[in-house]
């Protein structure tokens, strides 16, 4: 009978772990995007939101811990699944035409790696202030941090690129997660990903709008 | 020397025979079963079911199939359904009625006792298959659905869309794989039986070739079971799978097993017509289509108008016209022969003129396209894929094709051949269908043999005989192995000019032309001249490339075709000797004034069991008289 | 029509292989793909070359023996069609056709285009059955099954075990094959007693055989000649998850 290890040892178990952790991150990213959009309502709105988050104390650390654990599990499972899947086809095809796989589904691994790099840099950039492309960093004025950073073209470019990767990753990931964990209802056309497409588009637009608007001088 | 044909029919009333026999048979002590080893060749409905069941009982089973998995046995291709006398529809069915229909369908050339037992067991088969999870069609209330099927006036056919054979086979296959996992069955896929080993008059093993490595191996057992299917591929073009072959039963025949009624072959009326010389097989469209499709041809010969342009008044619904009570559901042989007749009159449709229409437009009008799609959707798709025509819009074109062989190795009531220990089940034997098999009864017979009959009777054989220990160093094994090796090397050393397939195609044409839907003395005599000539040419000029020690599909086929070459001759000999018409065997010399088959009960109420008399010698005819104590022999009428 | 074929030739399981070019001339559009290969093989035999080995049997799309990667698509360009039911009218005159065997660690090549798919049998051995020894079953109509359930079960039970799902999968996963059997049996009342034990052991066996992981590209569903839905995979994962939580007990 399956123990926790037996469960995780199987590829389906790993995929379920990836699905659950992925969905945790989807939830986080949605909240994060909603909060960030406050930037369009001016410095006060954003800064007070940021202040509110920091005031939650232990709760914030619990959320952070959950996210870190989820991320670590997601990445470890992804690496293991990828290795096993590569090993499952030692000799490839001379010619292979994809019939259903999308750009999004085929770039989950590379896009995921880019997102991992992004997350690390993003935390060093906006959370800890370790990386300061604009030279300055304020622990209270999140708005100023954003504006000064996104005025730099390569910072804005890095964020815009990463958010495109996020959109693709989510487009396939949000849809496949609910299938991996076995909760998606029976569908006449299972490959249709309407909800997932809406979610991915919303997040991509929301996260891309901020650096673009700042770089273009529409904000700040 | 002629063999003794004792059917070992239990005495007593028809309905009690099987019960009585089961009580009288000896049992193997449960603790001793694992000490008995059984070889089963073939993994279809009969072989697969037998292997699983014998292993469940505790026997040590080895199962062989030439396919890469037992799940691919050709039973999988049966479309329409399986009969059972459940009388779930309350339409007057009973075990006796199924028995009677089957005996009559076989044109009174089968044993009463065997057929009655088959009808009795049909009920258990459905129960067993449902327990295994076979997804038979159901009504909204959750009860099983039935349909009527060619030649029956009651709805007793159970079905799983158009894939009944597949679902039944997967049920048996899954039971078999459960036993493989348990260790009760050792499976040998991609392995072909090339000879039977008989020691002291008993079947004690087989010689096989591993089709991947080419290794020739000996397998020893206490009993050998052949469930290797029919020999329809003798005709080259048939609805059988490409690999279906007669090698196992033919090798057994040459080791002494009698071959019964080889000329009894079934031509199925609803197949997709031939489209070209390159064609490798014919595709059956389930006979269930005749429930809603109407068969017709133009009244005038040479009418080349499109079907839609031919008005009702210019159409001849010939089955409805000639057989008003059965109409389009007339039995397969009658439907086939009538199709051939109208085509011979020049009224056939399609480019070749070898086809009749099977028209669904009335049914679509009456029931709607959705109902028709629900019933036959996959068959319609298959038809369209092959012919590029949409049967929802234009009528299907169909023509008869070889489908099943009622003949096979002779077996007694215990399904044992005249060689002790050699049991033959399913299509490979001759037991239950007489001269013609009704629709939806092949699956029934395969499973009755495999699940319910053989597991009982085989135990009786083992318990009643003291079997000496033998191993594969026995001279009989060595001799058989040598013979197999020599034969293999002979194929490879001919280095002729013609491919195996070209010989097969030519043989098939001869058999189809002279021993097909209708036969006559002159034609059969001609075939008996042509076949030995072709066989001689084969052994002189065949080209089998490659070596014996590798996967060599040309070599596999050469062996099968070589056996077909011999079997074809026996078929013609049998067809020539049986000067009556019965069931699928239509001798033009023996017909009623209306052109229906005319039996000669006074002279031919027997099974013709042919015995191999040696290379180059005429086979010896043995007759097993058929006794009819319960049914009255009547002219089969479907008017 | 005339075609140029590029066919994978490999003399044996351990021999090196390569793509070899052949011309197939005077091909009728009404031929099936395998009949076209028959014609090529007849010619190769006549010319003293070794014919191309490929698995095939029923040639009516039900036995599951055939299966070729045709121009990079499992079973070729027609949807819901096994290789044997693919007809040459699906190709244009003068076309180049790449023909390769199924590729997966769990499907080692035996020769040319024939592969060993016994891994699929072993997945069934792990639990793809209902334990119901012959005899002793109740009357078939004593078990009521809603029509919708049996229809859905039949959709999954239609699997022919050809292996196209794993061949087409970018991860060489056999999830669709395994899930189809889990779904077929799991939708029926008869399959309930072993439902969770079955999910655990079949999934476990699939990994042991060396198949990859499902990342839901959906390639399997497109390749499947019986058009089995990836919804079955969702169901398999659900049963597996539930089984892992309950330890296989209800």
């Amino acid at each position: 009978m399956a123990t926790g290890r037996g469960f995780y040892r199987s590829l389906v178990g790993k995929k379920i772990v990836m699905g659950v952790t992925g969905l945790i991150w989807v939830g986080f990213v949605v909240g994060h995007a909603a909060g960030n959009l406050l930037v369009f309502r001016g410095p006060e709105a954003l800064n007070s939101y940021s202040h509110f988050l920091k005031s939650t104390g232990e709760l914030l650390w619990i959320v952070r811990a959950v996210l870190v654990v989820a991320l670590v599990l997601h990445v470890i499972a992804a690496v293991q699944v990828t290795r096993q899947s590569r090993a499952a086809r030692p000799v490839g095809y001379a010619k292979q035409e994809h019939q259903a796989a999308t750009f999004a589904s085929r770039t989950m691994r590379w896009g995921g790696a880019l997102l991992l790099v992004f997350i690390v840099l993003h935390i060093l950039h906006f959370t800890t202030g370790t990386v300061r492309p604009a030279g300055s960093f304020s622990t209270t004025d999140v708005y100023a941090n954003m504006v000064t950073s996104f005025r730099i073209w390569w910072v804005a470019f890095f964020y815009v690129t990463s958010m495109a990767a996020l959109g693709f990753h989510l487009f396939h990931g949000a849809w496949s997660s609910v299938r991996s964990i076995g909760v998606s209802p029976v569908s006449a056309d299972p490959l249709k990903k309407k909800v997932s497409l809406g979610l991915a588009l919303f997040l991509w637009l929301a996260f891309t709008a901020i650096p673009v608007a700042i770089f273009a001088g529409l904000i700040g | 020397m002629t063999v003794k044909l004792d059917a070992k029919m239990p005495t007593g009333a028809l309905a009690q025979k099987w019960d009585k026999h089961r009580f009288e048979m000896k049992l193997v002590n449960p603790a001793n079963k694992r000490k008995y080893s059984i070889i089963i060749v073939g993994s279809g409905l009969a072989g697969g079911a037998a292997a699983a069941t014998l292993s469940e009982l505790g026997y040590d089973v080895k199962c062989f199939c030439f396919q890469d998995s037992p799940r691919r046995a050709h039973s999988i291709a049966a479309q329409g359904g399986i009969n059972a006398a459940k009388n779930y529809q309350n339409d007057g069915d009973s075990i006796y009625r199924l028995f009677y229909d089957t005996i009559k369908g076989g044109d009174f050339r089968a044993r009463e006792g065997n057929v009655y037992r088959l009808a009795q067991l049909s009920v258990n088969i459905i129960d067993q298959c449902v327990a295994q999870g076979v997804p038979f069609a159901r009504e909204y209330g959750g009860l099983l659905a039935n349909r009527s099927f060619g030649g029956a006036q009651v709805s007793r056919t159970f079905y799983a869309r158009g894939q009944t054979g597949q679902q039944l086979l997967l049920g048996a296959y899954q039971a078999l794989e459960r036993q493989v996992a348990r260790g009760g069955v050792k499976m040998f896929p991609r392995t072909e039986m090339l000879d039977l080993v008989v020691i002291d008059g008993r079947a004690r093993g087989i010689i096989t070739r591993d089709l991947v490595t080419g290794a020739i191996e000996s397998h020893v057992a206490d009993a050998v079971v052949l469930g290797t299917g029919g020999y329809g591929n003798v005709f080259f073009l048939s609805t059988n799978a490409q690999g279906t072959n007669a090698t196992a039963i033919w090798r057994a025949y040459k080791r002494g097993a009698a071959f019964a009624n080889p000329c009894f072959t079934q031509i199925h009326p609803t197949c997709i017509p031939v489209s070209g010389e390159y064609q490798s097989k014919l595709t059956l469209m389930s006979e269930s289509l005749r429930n809603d499709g109407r068969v017709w041809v133009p009244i005038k010969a040479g009418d080349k108008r499109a079907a839609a342009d031919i008005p009702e008044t210019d159409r001849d619904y010939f089955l409805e016209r000639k057989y008003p009570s059965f109409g389009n559901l007339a039995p397969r042989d009658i439907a086939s022969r009538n199709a051939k007749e109208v085509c011979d009159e020049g009224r056939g449709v399609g480019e070749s003129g070898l086809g009749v229409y099977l028209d669904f437009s009335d049914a679509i009008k009456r029931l709607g396209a959705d109902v028709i799609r629900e019933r036959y959707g996959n068959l319609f798709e298959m038809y369209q894929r092959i012919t590029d025509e949409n049967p929802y819009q234009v009528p299907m074109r169909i023509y008869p094709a070889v489908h099943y062989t009622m003949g096979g190795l002779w077996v007694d009531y215990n399904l044992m051949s005249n060689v002790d220990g050699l049991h033959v089940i399913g299509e490979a034997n001759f037991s239950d269908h007489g001269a013609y098999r009704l629709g939806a009864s092949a699956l029934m017979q395969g499973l009755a043999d495999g699940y319910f009959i053989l597991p009982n009777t085989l135990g009786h054989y083992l318990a009643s005989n003291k079997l000496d220990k033998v191993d594969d160093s026995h001279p009989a094994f060595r001799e058989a192995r040598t013979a197999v090796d020599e034969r293999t090397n002979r194929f490879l050393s001919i280095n002729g000019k013609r491919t195996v397939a070209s010989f097969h195609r030519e043989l098939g044409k001869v058999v189809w032309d002279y021993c097909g839907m209708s036969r006559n003395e002159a034609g059969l005599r001609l075939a008996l001249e042509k076949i030995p000539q072709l066989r001689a040419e084969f052994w002189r000029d065949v080209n089998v490339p490659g070596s014996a020690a590798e996967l060599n599909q040309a070599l596999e086929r050469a062996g099968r075709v070589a056996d077909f070459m011999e079997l074809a001759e026996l078929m013609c000999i049998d067809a020539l000797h049986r000067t009556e018409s019965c069931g699928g065997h239509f001798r033009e010399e023996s017909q009623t004034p209306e052109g229906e088959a005319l039996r000669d009960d006074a002279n031919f109420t027997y099974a013709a069991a042919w015995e191999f008399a040696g290379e180059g010698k005429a086979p010896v005819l043995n007759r097993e008289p058929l006794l009819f104590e319960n049914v009255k022999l009547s002219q089969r009428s479907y008017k | 029509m005339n075609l140029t074929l590029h066919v994978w030739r490999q003399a044996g399981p351990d021999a090196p292989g390569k793509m070899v070019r052949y011309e197939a001339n005077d091909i009728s559009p009404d031929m099936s793909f395998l009949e076209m290969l028959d014609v090529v093989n007849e010619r190769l035999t006549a010319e003293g070359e070794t014919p191309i080995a490929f698995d095939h049997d029923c040639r009516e799309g039900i036995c599951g023996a055939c299966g070729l990667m045709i121009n990079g698509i499992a079973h070729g360009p027609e949807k819901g069609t096994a290789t044997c039911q693919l007809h040459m009218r699906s190709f244009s005159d003068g076309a180049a056709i790449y023909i390769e065997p199924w590729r997966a660690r769990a499907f080692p090549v035996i020769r040319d285009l024939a592969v060993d798919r016994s891994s699929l049998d072993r997945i069934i051995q792990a639990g793809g059955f209902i334990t119901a020894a012959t005899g002793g079953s109740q009357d078939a109509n004593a078990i009521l099954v809603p029509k919708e359930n049996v229809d859905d079960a039949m959709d999954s039970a239609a699997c022919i075990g050809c292996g196209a799902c794993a061949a087409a999968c970018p991860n060489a996963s056999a999830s669709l094959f395994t899930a189809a059997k889990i779904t077929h049996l799991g939708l029926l009342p008869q399959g309930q007693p072993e439902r969770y034990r079955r999910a655990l052991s079949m999934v476990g066996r699939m990994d042991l055989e060396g198949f990859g992981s499902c990342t839901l590209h959906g390639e399997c569903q497109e390749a499947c000649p019986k058009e089995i839905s990836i919804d079955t995979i969702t169901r398999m994962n659900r049963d597996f998850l539930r089984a892992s939580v309950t330890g296989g007990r209800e």
Side-chain angles (χ1 to χ4, degrees), chain A residues 110-157:
Chain A
W110 285 112
L114 173 62
L115 286 175
L116 182 63
V117 171
F118 168 78
I119 289 167
V120 172
L121 287 175
H122 180 54
I123 290 170
L124 293 175
H125 178 198
F126 279 127
T127 312
T128 63
T130 320
V131 176
R132 299 179 180 185
S136 62
F137 180 79
S138 160
T139 50
T140 51
D141 193 350
V142 176
Y143 186 84
N145 289 344
M146 269 198 191
V147 171
T148 51
S149 299
F150 290 147
R151 284 278 152 83
I152 304 166
W153 73 268
W154 54 268
V155 176
F157 178 77

Side-chain angles (χ1 to χ4, degrees), chain C residues 58-77:
Chain C
C58 77
R59 298 208 175 186
E60 51 187 272
I62 194 73
C63 77
C66 67
L68 301 172
M69 203 71 175
I70 300 166
N71 278 341
I73 305 172
H75 287 307

Side-chain angles (χ1 to χ4, degrees), chain B residues 287-459:
Chain B
E287 172 166 46
S288 63
L289 290 168
R290 287 199 279 144
N291 281 328
D292 288 306
R294 299 179 67 195
V295 177
W296 65 274
V297 288
I299 285 179
K300 280 196 290 289
D303 188 342
K304 287 290 166 200
R305 285 178 289 178
D309 299 334
I310 301 179
E312 282 292 320
T313 48
D314 289 352
R315 298 178 178 193
D316 179 13
Y317 294 89
F318 55 92
L319 290 179
E320 295 173 19
R321 171 171 59 80
K322 288 172 76 174
Y323 309 96
S325 65
F326 279 74
N328 295 297
L329 292 175
R332 293 174 172 184
D333 53 337
I334 290 176
S336 297
R337 217 152 37 232
N338 278 283
K340 180 182 189 298
E341 215 173 274
V342 296
C343 291
D344 289 349
E345 289 164 15
R347 301 197 281 147
V349 300
E351 228 167 88
S352 62
L354 291 177
V356 299
Y357 285 127
L358 181 62
D359 196 337
F360 289 87
S361 51
D362 286 346
I364 291 173
K365 247 178 258 159
R366 190 173 74 245
L367 303 163
D370 285 342
V371 174
I372 296 299
R373 188 169 292 116
E374 159 97 357
R375 285 185 192 166
Y376 312 111
N378 60 331
L379 298 171
F380 277 39
E381 275 168 36
M382 188 156 100
Y383 181 84
Q384 186 163 12
R385 252 199 301 273
I386 292 170
T387 61
D388 211 17
E389 289 175 2
N390 180 352
Y392 293 100
Q393 287 158 8
V394 295
M396 282 186 179
R397 285 174 297 112
I398 54 166
Y399 196 68
V402 176
H403 181 54
Y404 187 90
T405 50
M406 283 74 68
L409 292 186
W410 182 92
V411 290
D412 62 17
Y413 189 70
N414 293 322
L415 304 181
M416 188 162 82
S417 72
N418 57 303
V419 175
D420 276 0
L422 176 69
H423 294 71
V424 190
I425 56 178
E427 192 180 347
N429 73 26
F430 88 117
S431 68
D432 296 343
H433 305 298
Y436 210 76
R437 181 179 69 76
L438 292 183
S441 61
L443 302 182
M444 174 170 73
Q445 186 223 340
L447 289 180
D449 288 2
Y451 282 134
F452 297 108
I453 303 173
L454 183 81
N456 285 288
T457 59
L458 189 59

